[in-house]
Amino acid sequence: MGDNQASNTRWTGTIGAYDGRRAGVGRVVVHSTWHHVFDINLIGDNAANRPGFTDPRAAVWRQGFNASPNGQRVLGQIDQYFRNIVHWLSPGIGVTRRFNGLVAQLAMSHHVREVMDTHRGSALQLGAYAWEHAIRLLPPCSIIELSLPPIYEVIPIERRPWPDPGPEGRWPIPPRQMSQAALGGALQALTEMQSVDELTEEHGSRRLRAGVHRGVNELIEQEFRRAEVALKELTRARSATSDAAA
């Protein structure tokens, strides 16, 4: 195509991610160019301060995205993107500490604390309520990433509740619901402790993980009962429609 010819507008992917955990290998992130993560393209180029540099854009070049309030907002989003890449490439690193921190932060929230003090229902109900406050602190995908590892400890690898569908299809329970059950169970376990300070000790983390397992088990038992009822109804319906079709 010549330089003077118009081209059609199109979207071009700049980021690719591969989760190799299911195949027993690591994770991969492919970015279109390293220039996007080069600091002078984000927070400014000191070369703009050199003597004799008179380009009218020098003030912006010196500061990068920091040159304007809107740029600073965008820089914050880019910063979060970089953090997400780190978390994606290093699953499990610091996850326990971050999950414990999230649970503690929720427990110290006035609204969640009030519900925890008076709540006598299931871990699922508590977790669903806490979820609405958790997503104000972290994106839903991050909460799921933090809350599922304790479940992976006890569920065989070929049957783990992966967020994305594998060759065998989706896991029977949505990851968000699993995450809510995990949060609810962890918060219930926290109410049995003397202080959130116990989370800094290994025994505190173990108690929190046990709470996660209880909450998820409660969810699985509930879904199992529903599945049993649904199977009976489907069996009767199949028999009736089979007779009618004969």
Side-chain angles (χ1 to χ4, degrees), residues 27 80 82-93 98 142 145:
R27 286 178 163 181
Q80 184 60 55
F82 292 156
R83 293 173 187 272
N84 290 344
I85 288 180
V86 173
H87 296 322
W88 170 261
L89 292 176
S90 55
I93 304 300
R98 293 174 61 217
S142 296
E145 284 276 343

Side-chain angles (χ1 to χ4, degrees), residues 19 21-22 144-145 147-166 168-179 216 219-220:
D19 187 356
R21 290 185 301 170
R22 302 194 64 170
I144 292 173
E145 284 276 343
S147 55
L148 289 186
I151 305 168
Y152 295 162
E153 295 174 359
V154 295
I155 296 180
I157 188 169
E158 69 275 7
R159 290 288 176 258
R160 287 178 178 177
W162 297 101
D164 57 313
E168 69 283 356
R170 290 189 180 276
W171 212 75
I173 305 174
R176 170 174 168 168
Q177 204 172 355
M178 296 281 288
S179 182
V216 172
L219 171 62
I220 292 174

Side-chain angles (χ1 to χ4, degrees), residues 33 61 63 71 84 95 100 144-145 160 166 176 212 220 238:
T33 172
W61 285 0
Q63 300 182 69
N84 290 344
V95 167
N100 292 357
I144 292 173
E145 284 276 343
R160 287 178 178 177
R176 170 174 168 168
V212 168
I220 292 174
R238 182 177 65 175

Side-chain angles (χ1 to χ4, degrees), residues 6-243:
S7 60
N8 295 325
T9 301
R10 66 179 182 179
W11 286 99
T12 301
T14 59
I15 305 164
Y18 169 71
D19 187 356
R21 290 185 301 170
R22 302 194 64 170
V25 296
R27 286 178 163 181
V28 174
V29 172
V30 180
H31 200 85
S32 63
T33 172
W34 62 274
H35 287 280
H36 291 163
V37 295
F38 202 45
D39 60 350
I40 66 171
N41 290 326
L42 300 174
I43 58 175
D45 185 355
N46 287 330
N49 293 321
R50 68 182 183 272
F53 190 82
T54 58
D55 192 290
R57 296 167 293 179
V60 174
W61 285 0
R62 292 189 191 102
Q63 300 182 69
F65 281 94
N66 285 315
S68 69
N70 186 57
Q72 294 170 18
R73 179 186 62 80
V74 173
L75 182 61
Q77 294 174 332
I78 295 174
D79 180 72
Q80 184 60 55
Y81 164 66
F82 292 156
R83 293 173 187 272
N84 290 344
I85 288 180
V86 173
H87 296 322
W88 170 261
L89 292 176
S90 55
I93 304 300
V95 167
T96 297
R97 179 177 57 81
R98 293 174 61 217
F99 178 70
N100 292 357
L102 173 62
V103 173
Q105 193 169 1
L106 289 172
M108 290 186 288
S109 163
H110 168 71
H111 297 288
V112 177
R113 177 82 258 175
E114 185 176 12
V115 172
M116 288 173 61
D117 290 341
T118 59
H119 183 74
R120 297 295 180 270
S122 67
L124 308 183
Q125 294 171 327
L126 178 58
Y129 181 82
W131 173 273
E132 298 303 320
H133 292 271
I135 58 177
R136 301 175 189 176
L137 304 172
L138 292 172
C141 58
S142 296
I143 301 172
I144 292 173
E145 284 276 343
L146 292 179
S147 55
L148 289 186
I151 305 168
Y152 295 162
E153 295 174 359
V154 295
I155 296 180
I157 188 169
E158 69 275 7
R159 290 288 176 258
R160 287 178 178 177
W162 297 101
D164 57 313
E168 69 283 356
R170 290 189 180 276
W171 212 75
I173 305 174
R176 170 174 168 168
Q177 204 172 355
M178 296 281 288
S179 182
Q180 290 176 350
L183 278 179
L187 287 168
Q188 284 186 338
L190 191 59
T191 61
E192 301 168 1
M193 300 183 192
Q194 296 297 319
S195 168
V196 294
D197 293 336
E198 291 188 41
L199 293 180
T200 61
E201 305 293 336
E202 178 56 31
H203 76 275
S205 289
R206 286 198 301 269
R207 293 177 66 179
L208 211 65
R209 290 198 299 273
V212 168
H213 296 156
R214 287 195 299 270
V216 172
N217 180 256
E218 180 182 315
L219 171 62
I220 292 174
E221 288 287 350
Q222 172 183 286
E223 293 304 310
F224 190 83
R225 290 192 295 272
R226 287 180 178 176
E228 285 186 318
V229 172
L231 181 60
K232 290 178 181 178
E233 292 297 331
L234 287 173
T235 300
R236 283 194 289 266
R238 182 177 65 175
S239 177
T241 54
S242 178
D243 292 341

